[in-house]
Amino acid sequence: MQLEPSRTSWRRYVALGDSFTEGLSDPDPERPGQYRGWADRLAGHLAAVADGDVEYANLAVRGRLLGQVLAEQVPVALAAGPDLVSLVAGGNDLLRPGADPDRLAAALEDAVVRFRAAGADVLLATGVDPRQTPIIRRTRGRVAVFNASLWSIAARHGAVVLDQWGAAWIQDWRMWDGDRIHLTDEGHRRTALAAATALGLPVGDDWRAPLPPQPPRALRAALADEAAWVRGFVAPWIGRRLRGRSSGDGRAAKRPVPLVLPRG
């Protein structure tokens, strides 16, 4: 059962998380070299229906683990006094062998409690079902456990959940960049609309519609794609882990303080 937010209009939205919320791979046409993403797009939907100015900050940084998000971003967000936060993190942790979804969920719940006590509505998001992704599908069990905990956290504290696990359209590979981790611009567009719907905003429902069918790939092409994915993404990811590096090392939040959004 989806929960209802405590209001239908917000004045200050702060987004927290990792590369998903930073917006990879949704290039921002107005800022070369930067990304837009579902949270920026959601902020636009909030501004479009508000009866006054809406301020928006995005603290997300690619590669961040949940502990880093909680330590680095939560205090900044609380200090900004938001009435809406999106807190989507833990995916990078769950990719790692030995990740404990129960421990991650308990840490996340502490942050939700703090935001709710401060008077902010909280938007959470389940992880996507990885059943179609080679190698990554091995994480399916712990992602499912983490997702179940998210729904329980939301029920206990009155948070809202963006259900990505159950979204049929998101299983279409045309919604995903070549790394199979980050959404394309169309994927981010639909995710923003799904989040807006979860929050009760009056947006359309075209995001639910599947893309037109595409012809099946030849076996040789499919195998070539798998090999390219391993070389281009899996191997570099493993290399960074072995060196103790992250794709977000040295990066700062793209929108560190709440700024007023244009309306319309």
Side-chain angles (χ1 to χ4, degrees):
M1 181 181 68
Q2 178 63 294
L3 298 172
E4 296 293 332
S6 63
R7 55 178 73 86
T8 57
S9 181
W10 295 267
R11 294 298 180 89
R12 182 171 292 171
Y13 166 40
V14 178
L16 301 84
D18 51 32
S19 59
F20 173 59
T21 300
E22 184 184 345
L24 277 67
S25 300
D26 181 16
D28 189 333
E30 298 182 359
R31 298 181 300 165
Q34 298 292 319
Y35 294 97
R36 182 167 40 179
W38 73 272
D40 287 22
R41 293 170 181 266
L42 173 60
H45 294 309
L46 294 171
V49 301
D51 56 4
D53 288 339
V54 173
E55 297 178 341
Y56 167 54
N58 189 317
L59 308 179
V61 178
R62 69 193 70 176
R64 290 299 191 260
L65 300 173
L66 176 61
Q68 294 173 307
V69 171
L70 300 181
E72 300 168 6
Q73 299 176 23
V74 168
V76 177
L78 284 168
D83 53 13
L84 174 65
V85 299
S86 58
L87 177 54
V88 185
N92 290 321
D93 301 80
L94 293 167
L95 286 172
R96 300 182 176 215
D100 184 346
D102 296 315
R103 180 184 61 81
L104 294 170
L108 184 74
E109 183 167 15
D110 287 343
V112 172
V113 169
R114 294 175 68 186
F115 282 122
R116 296 296 288 142
D121 281 325
V122 178
L123 174 66
L124 305 173
T126 66
V128 176
D129 186 348
R131 67 182 185 273
Q132 297 191 58
T133 312
I135 302 177
I136 298 177
R137 63 172 165 244
R138 297 178 182 178
T139 69
R140 192 181 191 217
R142 53 182 178 263
V143 173
V145 171
F146 186 67
N147 287 349
S149 295
L150 288 184
W151 285 106
S152 296
I153 291 168
R156 284 193 290 270
H157 304 293
V160 177
V161 179
L162 167 61
D163 181 18
Q164 298 189 105
W165 181 275
W169 61 266
I170 212 168
Q171 293 294 330
D172 190 315
W173 284 117
R174 290 171 288 180
M175 298 290 177
W176 295 88
D177 193 21
D179 63 10
R180 305 182 185 180
I181 293 292
H182 300 111
L183 293 168
T184 62
D185 54 352
E186 175 62 11
H188 279 285
R189 184 189 74 84
R190 290 180 181 233
T191 298
L193 288 168
T197 300
L199 289 169
L201 300 186
V203 296
D205 61 358
D206 71 299
W207 57 272
R208 301 179 189 271
L211 292 176
Q214 60 179 343
R217 292 184 300 168
L219 177 59
R220 178 174 295 182
L223 292 175
D225 286 347
E226 296 302 314
W229 177 64
V230 171
R231 290 193 306 270
F233 172 74
V234 178
W237 185 86
I238 292 173
R240 288 196 299 272
R241 299 288 80 73
L242 293 175
R243 296 191 302 272
R245 301 284 300 278
S246 167
S247 59
D249 288 347
R251 291 187 175 273
K254 66 179 184 180
R255 196 178 178 105
V257 296
L259 298 175
V260 174
L261 293 168
R263 301 186 66 190

